[in-house]
Amino acid sequence: MSDPMDALAPEHRRLRIGDAWRDAAGGATFAVEDPATGKTIAEVADAGVGDGLAALDAATGAMAEWAGTPPRKRSELLTATYRALTERSDEVARLITLEMGKPLAEARAEVAYGAEFFRWFAEEAVRVEGRYSTAPTGGYRILTVPKPVGPCVFVTPWNFPLAMGARKIAPALAAGCTTITKPAAQTPLTMLLLARIMEEAGVPAGVVNVVTTKRAGEVVSALLADSRTRKLSFTGSTEVGRVLLRQAADNVLRTSMELGGNAALIVCADADLDVALDGAMVAKMRNIGESCVAANRIYVEEPVREEFTARFAERMGALSMGHGLDDGVDVGALIDEASVTKIDKLVADAVDRGARVLVGGRRPDGPGHFYPPTVLVDVPGDALMLGAEIFGPVAPIMGFTSDNEVMAKANDTEYGLVGYVFTGDLQRALRFTEGLATGMLGVNRGLISDPSAPFGGVKQSGIGKEGSHEGILEYLDLTYAAIDLP
Ligand code: NAP
């Protein structure tokens, strides 16, 4: 089988700035690792502040022409990107797995998900509209004109190396904005491949710029301080999000912030347990649990707690762990050693406080950053893992006896990204929908991510929406004209 690195030629493992693929000004590079082996798979350019600002020069230079490009033409370029990603799905997926660790089947699903943002926003690009109305007092008319916000800076995480960029780049281009993306240092290759695919699809130079760097703090803050930047969209931790929001404030930037989560998954006694088990497996184990929407806390109503727990533990214990590119692997490597150590500590803390391990719970010896699927019960309310993002394949299961009690526990977090409820009672589902303080809710479903739905959190999980019609509005300013007409 071919080397996944063949997808990205050495000349494209460099900065994408304007019409060039070029080295960082000082020639610096940094290594990208396969997390399943710890081996270096590539060197990419390590941009400095000057390189970042060169990308902003390119994005600013391309802005007027791109904004003035007919929406149908922009739409066609997004469709061409969708088609290319779909046709090259296997190639892109293998690169994702190599640099990020997820099993190949999940990487293919990410490519399908990421590609769909291009298809969805190709359809939205031609439906940007304003309004025309008569002022209530008469005498003049009100006209609203949507306009692209301007050059956008995107900062993306490592857990979905393609999709987290796609869901920013696609709506921005549809709205007529140009972009600079700074991918996570651990997974820059997929974003470079996307930029190459978009270049081949015919997207003009300067519209999609990619700056890889190990110096995120310096490079991003210089971009956010420059008055030519008009928008920041960030996906990552709440901790870094707060820092970037402060920087964006100095330049009064439009911001979209997709931050951390601490999802509660609630299984009611009246749920179809087969559906709940399937949903819980997806909500917990998609992306090896390295997902902002991962079920972090599982609450099961007492009458079905034992049965659910036994069946869930059996399914978790049957998963196979290994290199994501190998056949039959369900659980790939975690992103790095720090991640494994953090999870190990969270499990040890829960056990110290009285939790019992039903499955997993011990990191394996050997190379790579692996942690096995783990199920914990009797987890006390003060265990650290109930308040932190676990970001791995560990499931704490707790019981509950009343809806008010479980709702209060679910809401007892600074986060408000997503929740999951499994019940056969529609009224109960609606009460949870109204009572849970989250931006999204899966009802009898463990998967909510969908390019045609507004993804985003409340509280400290973020600001703004990605996907759906709302997704393009994040990239549009509105000018209102009062037109005298006595
Ligand atoms: P992270 O540490 O916050 O990093 C995210 C991005 O920010 C990376 O590109 C990182 O660059 C960059 N960054 C770090 N410090 C920075 C600074 N001081 N200034 C500018 N940029 C900086 O998050 P992560 O570990 O990659 O991703 C996991 C987090 O993302 C979790 O909290 C997860 O919940 C969240 N997430 C949220 C969503 C959502 O839609 N709500 C989706 C996916 C993930 P480096 O790689 O160079 O550090």
Side-chain angles (χ1 to χ4, degrees), residues 155-156 158 167 182 184-185 234-237 258-260 292 389 455:
V155 180
T156 56
W158 49 263
R167 73 184 191 184
K182 193 223 76 69
F234 171 74
T235 299
S237 61
E258 299 288 347
L259 309 178
C292 54
E389 281 193 291
F455 188 106

Side-chain angles (χ1 to χ4, degrees), residues 155-160 164 167 182-186 213-214 216-217 220 234-238 240 243-244 258-261 291-292 389 391 417 455 461 466:
V155 180
T156 56
W158 49 263
N159 63 342
F160 289 92
M164 297 301 98
R167 73 184 191 184
K182 193 223 76 69
Q186 284 160 315
T213 181
K214 269 283 208 194
V220 173
F234 171 74
T235 299
S237 61
T238 296
V240 174
V243 172
L244 298 188
E258 299 288 347
L259 309 178
S291 161
C292 54
E389 281 193 291
F391 238 63
L417 190 58
F455 188 106
S461 287
E466 291 192 316

Side-chain angles (χ1 to χ4, degrees), residues 390-439:
I390 301 171
F391 238 63
V394 175
I397 303 183
M398 284 76 59
F400 75 90
T401 51
S402 86
D403 290 5
N404 285 344
E405 169 211 348
V406 76
M407 200 113 71
K409 283 184 177 158
N411 286 339
D412 184 18
T413 165
E414 69 193 23
Y415 297 112
L417 190 58
V418 65
Y420 302 91
V421 175
F422 292 84
T423 174
D425 178 340
L426 177 62
Q427 290 188 341
R428 216 172 165 187
L430 288 173
R431 269 184 234 112
F432 278 113
T433 306
E434 292 184 7
L436 288 172
T438 59

Side-chain angles (χ1 to χ4, degrees), residues 143-420:
L143 177 67
T144 66
V145 183
K147 298 176 184 170
V149 296
C152 302
V153 170
F154 299 151
V155 180
T156 56
W158 49 263
N159 63 342
F160 289 92
L162 177 76
M164 297 301 98
R167 73 184 191 184
K168 301 180 189 311
I169 294 171
L173 267 56
C177 298
T178 58
T179 66
I180 302 158
T181 302
K182 193 223 76 69
Q186 284 160 315
T187 58
L189 302 171
T190 305
M191 186 49 59
L192 293 171
L193 179 56
L194 175 64
R196 174 65 184 149
I197 286 172
M198 296 188 79
E199 179 189 10
E200 287 175 342
V203 174
V207 173
V208 173
N209 302 281
V210 178
V211 174
T212 55
T213 181
K214 269 283 208 194
R215 294 169 272 173
E218 286 170 49
V219 174
V220 173
S221 67
L223 287 170
L224 300 185
D226 192 305
S227 61
R228 294 172 298 169
T229 299
R230 291 319 313 145
K231 160 108 196 173
L232 162 69
S233 179
F234 171 74
T235 299
S237 61
T238 296
E239 191 188 352
V240 174
R242 286 189 196 105
V243 172
L244 298 188
L245 270 173
R246 279 194 284 269
Q247 294 177 6
D250 280 341
N251 206 357
V252 193
L253 297 182
R254 291 275 301 264
T255 56
S256 301
M257 308 302 284
E258 299 288 347
L259 309 178
N262 181 4
L265 184 144
I266 298 166
V267 180
C268 300
D270 57 28
D272 178 327
L273 271 203
D274 293 330
V275 170
L277 279 158
D278 287 348
M281 286 301 293
V282 172
K284 179 69 255 179
M285 292 305 294
R286 174 168 168 254
N287 223 44
I288 329 172
E290 293 176 309
S291 161
C292 54
V293 291
N296 211 57
R297 302 167 287 159
I298 299 180
Y299 294 102
V300 187
E301 202 169 6
E302 281 301 337
V304 294
R305 182 174 56 81
E306 271 187 31
E307 182 186 349
F308 176 91
T309 304
R311 291 175 64 189
F312 183 76
E314 191 183 337
R315 287 183 61 173
M316 288 285 275
L319 298 175
S320 71
M321 190 164 72
H323 196 298
L325 289 173
D326 291 344
D327 286 341
V329 165
D330 304 304
V331 183
L334 299 180
I335 192 68
D336 57 18
E337 179 55 30
S339 200
V340 178
T341 305
K342 181 190 100 177
I343 291 167
D344 211 29
K345 281 193 180 147
L346 288 175
V347 171
D349 166 79
V351 170
D352 281 351
R353 293 174 201 261
R356 279 187 302 127
V357 177
L358 293 190
V359 171
R362 277 174 63 91
R363 56 179 305 180
D365 296 329
H369 312 302
F370 289 95
Y371 199 90
T374 295
V375 178
L376 297 167
V377 292
D378 300 339
V379 182
D382 61 354
L384 297 179
M385 68 169 55
L386 302 185
E389 281 193 291
I390 301 171
F391 238 63
V394 175
I397 303 183
M398 284 76 59
F400 75 90
T401 51
S402 86
D403 290 5
N404 285 344
E405 169 211 348
V406 76
M407 200 113 71
K409 283 184 177 158
N411 286 339
D412 184 18
T413 165
E414 69 193 23
Y415 297 112
L417 190 58
V418 65
Y420 302 91

